[in-house]
Amino acid sequence: MPYYFLDDQSNVYTADKNINRFTIVQAWENKAGIFVRTPQDFPDDFEITKVAVVGEKDQLDQYEQPVKDQFGNDYYVVRAGDNFIEIMNPTANKGTGLETLVKILGFKKDEIMAFGDEQNDLPMFDYVGHAIAMGNGSDVAKERADYVTDSNDNDGIAKALDKLVFND
């Protein structure tokens, strides 16, 4: 089962010598390196911020429930798209992150609009006053949203803002 994990600097680590293409994409998006290491290579106090099981959709369809069964009681496990299953601190999700930011900025949650496209956006959708799913998003995200807009590639955010905020 291909996987990678991140440290607090977004460096990407894997024990896979045949590095999965999704691991490479994650490193590129994070502007970080990829380090091939075994668990024995790390000190006992090494802190992992996120683990992702990666692969093709049909592979992850088979892995998803066993990963949830093994880690779901202790960690936040979520399918973050067709090619990623994320395993994180149980309080680390987009909803709790947004809640913290909203409190710091002094807004009310009903004043907040959030855009998302995958299952990892659902805690954020549950928190905000206005949940907007992207047209290219998962069916699960669309079902939980208050409004579904066009795709990312077709100016979906701008279209939603025009309709819902600017009332054009």
Side-chain angles (χ1 to χ4, degrees):
M1 181 169 19
Y3 73 94
Y4 66 81
F5 60 90
L6 303 177
D7 65 13
D8 63 358
Q9 301 296 308
S10 296
N11 290 307
V12 177
Y13 299 88
T14 184
D16 300 328
K17 291 183 179 170
N18 295 320
I19 299 172
N20 185 284
R21 67 187 173 107
F22 299 109
T23 302
I24 294 168
V25 168
Q26 181 69 62
W28 179 79
E29 287 177 349
N30 289 359
K31 297 181 174 114
I34 299 174
F35 302 93
V36 178
R37 304 284 189 272
T38 65
Q40 297 79 14
D41 293 332
F42 295 94
D44 291 339
D45 63 349
F46 184 82
E47 291 192 30
I48 296 172
T49 60
K50 176 173 83 171
V51 174
V53 178
V54 296
E56 300 303 324
K57 180 186 181 314
D58 59 333
Q59 287 177 305
L60 291 192
D61 288 346
Q62 295 174 14
Y63 296 152
E64 184 173 6
Q65 194 57 54
V67 169
K68 286 181 177 180
D69 291 345
Q70 184 169 352
F71 298 106
N73 288 334
D74 298 317
Y75 300 95
Y76 174 55
V77 178
V78 64
R79 184 78 174 256
D82 287 341
N83 309 108
F84 300 91
I85 300 170
E86 297 178 340
I87 306 167
M88 296 176 286
N89 179 300
T91 63
N93 65 61
K94 292 181 181 184
T96 56
L98 189 57
E99 180 179 8
T100 300
L101 179 62
V102 166
K103 286 178 181 175
I104 290 169
L105 297 175
F107 290 104
K108 298 176 185 139
K109 70 180 191 174
D110 64 340
E111 297 174 313
I112 305 298
M113 178 182 291
F115 294 84
D117 60 0
E118 283 299 339
Q119 292 180 44
N120 60 343
D121 294 315
L122 299 181
M124 179 176 62
F125 279 9
D126 291 340
Y127 177 74
V128 299
H130 309 283
I132 314 302
M134 303 308 295
N136 59 303
S138 69
D139 290 340
V140 174
K142 290 177 187 177
E143 289 167 9
R144 291 277 285 280
D146 301 312
Y147 180 77
V148 177
T149 188
D150 210 334
S151 72
N152 290 337
D153 294 332
N154 202 23
D155 299 324
I157 291 176
K159 288 177 180 178
L161 291 173
D162 282 344
K163 179 169 180 63
L164 301 171
V165 177
F166 302 113
N167 299 316
D168 286 349

